[in-house]
Amino acid sequence: MIKGLAITTVWVLDQDRAKEFYTEKLGLEVRTDMTLGEGGMRWLTVGSPEQPDVELTLMVPGAGMDPESAEMIRKLVAKGALGPGVLTTDDIHGDYAKLKDRGVEFIQEPQERPYGTEALFRDDSGNWFSFTQRREGGLDTDKDWGC
């Protein structure tokens, strides 16, 4: 039986730069930073101190894939075409201001949505994330989606 999501991959262009962004700007913690085997790939994971059972693997495209596919993923990341997921908060306006002060590039200020209040930001590679405070009481289907 599936119990939940434990690890998901975020494609990045530079793991050292991504490690700095995800820890110093977003406030996530490093869970694992190791090289698999001699000269092998770097396994770098981060996660929220508030959610110890979920990790983001910050991977450079290449390991286990053909060169053409790796290059295609790198181009999509750099183009800003990939959105790896939704990061949540219980204080969207306060955390938005805090992250902006740390240099996080927001592409959308907090806006009301049927599911909560959502801002959008990019990581240092170009990936965009939804940054959302969920709406108390669940989805409001009468609210405009703003799309």
Side-chain angles (χ1 to χ4, degrees), residues 23-123:
T23 58
E24 295 179 20
K25 292 190 177 182
L26 297 186
L28 301 182
E29 61 186 17
V30 173
R31 300 282 174 73
T32 307
D33 189 356
M34 61 182 286
T35 300
L36 303 178
E38 190 173 323
M41 72 174 209
R42 183 177 177 190
W43 182 253
L44 172 61
T45 70
V46 296
S48 168
E50 304 291 323
Q51 195 177 28
D53 59 336
V54 177
E55 298 176 61
L56 303 177
T57 304
L58 307 176
M59 298 285 294
V60 174
M65 63 180 62
D66 63 86
E68 181 182 341
S69 296
E71 182 59 24
M72 290 173 76
I73 292 173
R74 277 192 288 277
K75 285 181 178 176
L76 288 171
V77 170
K79 186 178 178 182
L82 300 181
V86 178
L87 300 176
T88 60
T89 178
D90 57 2
D91 180 13
I92 186 70
H93 294 287
D95 287 339
Y96 167 81
K98 187 184 313 179
L99 294 179
K100 199 167 178 176
D101 286 347
R102 290 180 188 168
V104 174
E105 175 195 354
F106 279 87
I107 54 177
Q108 175 191 293
E109 295 179 0
Q111 295 183 4
E112 296 297 319
R113 301 285 188 230
Y115 43 86
T117 306
E118 177 187 52
L120 300 175
F121 71 84
R122 290 197 187 281
D123 72 4

